[in-house]
């Protein structure tokens, strides 16, 4: 496979990976600052579950009219 074709495929995947990890780390840091007494319990898994719960609520229509 030519190098430019690999680059066309790999660049968007790389950008998505970097952007997602940066967002997760920022949310984790914000949550740790917001709840310092729970800082040791806030990991990437808890951030992902929080986001998944919010997406489920959004999908169910709980945020209409905000």
């Amino acid at each position: 496979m030519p190098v430019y074709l690999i680059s066309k495929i790999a660049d968007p995947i790389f950008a998505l990976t970097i952007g997602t990890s940066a967002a997760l780390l920022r949310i984790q840091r914000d949550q740790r600052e917001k709840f310092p007494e729970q800082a040791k319990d806030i990991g990437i898994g808890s951030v992902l579950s929080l986001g998944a719960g919010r997406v489920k609520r959004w999908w169910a229509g709980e945020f209409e009219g905000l």
Side-chain angles (χ1 to χ4, degrees):
M1 204 169 353
V3 174
Y4 68 89
L5 187 56
I6 293 172
S7 179
K8 280 186 149 190
I9 295 169
D11 284 350
I13 294 171
F14 177 75
L16 183 64
T17 303
I18 294 297
T20 302
S21 63
L24 286 172
L25 290 173
R26 179 176 179 208
I27 293 167
Q28 181 186 27
R29 185 184 69 234
D30 290 346
Q31 289 295 310
R32 285 182 175 175
E33 289 175 359
K34 190 174 182 181
F35 305 107
E37 65 281 352
Q38 300 172 351
K40 63 181 171 110
D41 299 328
I42 299 173
I44 296 297
S46 64
V47 171
L48 287 173
S49 65
L50 177 68
R54 289 182 181 177
V55 168
K56 286 178 187 175
R57 289 175 52 204
W58 170 78
W59 191 260
E62 290 186 28
F63 296 118
E64 286 186 23
L66 293 180

